[in-house]
Amino acid sequence: GSIIGYRTVGRRSGERHVALVRIPASNLADGELTHIDRIPVNIELADQQWDNYCAALDAEGWETIEVPAAPEMADSVFIEDAVVMFGELAVITNPGAESRNAETVGAEQAVRELGGLAIERISAPGTLDGGDVLKIGKTVYVGRSLRTNAEGIRQLRALLAPHGYTVVAVPLTKALHLKTSVTALPDGTVIGWAPFVDHPELFDRFLAMPEEAGAAVVVLSPDTVLMSASAPRSAALIADLGYRVVTVDISEFEKLEGCVTCLSVRVR
Ligand code: CIR
């Protein structure tokens, strides 16, 4: 990835972290679409972009570990939707789209192989996509979306209560997932694309971004975020707030309604 803002060499602390990723399926171009029309996906370019995404994580101190490939599951590259981490607790989701439901099998296997993690599950009739879960400290915002239903939110709330997390449900009608509309900076400021946000008043601090793809950041360290190359003005705005911004081109995944968060699960 390229870097905007001040330069440092890798992670300051030198510590290594682990992130789960999943290689794009051969039928990636057939992924689910809800809010946008189908544009032809360049599979070769998608593979390259995925390699670069993994390389960017690695360069920032995140060792990528591959979830077993699911070559026939078109949307399986969007691993974030299948498992959500809360410290040492992994919650295996129950993805709301029928075509994506079986993605959790490989995700659970990978989490098991990592070892040392407690595993819980969202189960039918509850549905929940990881893309709807935004963690800010001990507050967990969960989008009530087309993919995540009330029962899924209720189950997550019950699972997390003993761990000291508060689940805040967020009605969502204008975007696929909560994190397509908002994410958060390391300082907890919620950033988003205002036209996709039904209720900005639910957040303590909300900062509107100038581009749709600017709504999504992945926090890589206390001073570094990862963003899509398709949001240069948002990246500049965030760099101007004193953050280091690493950018990656994920155009082929954006054609499938994916954003920068959904291509990995940061484990620890
Ligand atoms: C889907 O509709 O499920 C995929 N085409 C895109 C999923 C993107 N996931 C995410 O933003 N967490």
Side-chain angles (χ1 to χ4, degrees):
S2 21
I3 295 171
I4 304 176
Y6 62 92
R7 254 172 200 284
T8 53
V9 182
R11 275 177 95 85
R12 208 131 333 162
S13 56
E15 62 193 300
R16 295 287 292 173
H17 291 256
V18 168
L20 294 176
V21 293
R22 199 170 203 178
I23 197 168
S26 20
N27 59 350
L28 171 73
D30 302 331
E32 296 276 345
L33 286 178
T34 309
H35 294 279
I36 58 178
D37 293 329
R38 200 167 291 280
I39 313 170
V41 171
N42 180 335
I43 299 290
E44 259 173 53
L45 181 56
D47 283 340
Q48 258 176 45
Q49 291 178 345
W50 184 78
D51 285 343
N52 291 342
Y53 179 94
C54 295
L57 286 183
D58 187 73
E60 295 300 321
W62 292 84
E63 176 191 351
T64 53
I65 292 185
E66 285 194 42
V67 173
E72 271 100 62
M73 295 182 202
D75 281 313
S76 54
V77 69
F78 303 117
I79 184 64
E80 162 181 82
D81 292 319
V83 53
V84 190
M85 295 303 309
F86 301 92
E88 302 294 288
L89 170 66
V91 176
I92 308 299
T93 67
N94 189 28
E98 187 60 42
S99 69
R100 302 200 55 190
N101 208 254
E103 289 178 23
T104 54
V105 177
E108 178 162 352
Q109 190 186 327
V111 164
R112 225 169 258 300
E113 280 166 15
L114 285 177
L117 300 170
I119 301 180
E120 297 280 5
R121 267 169 223 87
I122 302 296
S123 51
T127 62
L128 185 130
D129 277 18
D132 278 319
V133 181
L134 173 64
K135 295 167 280 181
I136 305 179
K138 286 288 188 178
T139 303
V140 181
Y141 294 96
V142 183
R144 166 66 186 91
S145 67
L146 280 175
R147 301 287 176 81
T148 297
N149 66 15
E151 173 61 14
I153 297 174
R154 197 196 61 72
Q155 288 181 22
L156 187 67
R157 183 178 285 131
L159 283 176
L160 293 181
H163 299 272
Y165 292 95
T166 303
V167 166
V168 177
V170 180
L172 187 81
T173 60
K174 299 167 180 169
L176 177 62
H177 286 128
L178 178 64
K179 280 187 283 188
T180 337
S181 66
V182 292
T183 57
L185 296 176
D187 64 15
T189 298
V190 172
I191 61 165
W193 173 238
F196 285 174
V197 184
D198 295 79
H199 296 288
E201 70 277 11
L202 281 176
F203 307 110
D204 297 338
R205 305 192 290 282
F206 178 73
L207 177 62
M209 288 293 122
E211 295 139 323
E212 183 182 320
V217 297
V218 172
V219 173
L220 294 175
S221 79
D223 71 2
T224 306
V225 297
L226 181 70
M227 290 186 78
S228 164
S230 41
R233 287 184 295 135
S234 308
L237 196 162
I238 291 171
D240 196 45
L241 299 177
Y243 289 109
R244 203 166 138 265
V245 182
V246 177
T247 61
V248 283
D249 193 346
I250 53 162
S251 63
E252 301 316 289
F253 302 104
E254 286 170 342
K255 292 176 181 172
L256 296 162
E257 287 182 60
C259 55
V260 78
T261 64
C262 57
L263 295 171
S264 62
V265 174
R266 279 69 59 201
V267 179
R268 59 190 171 201

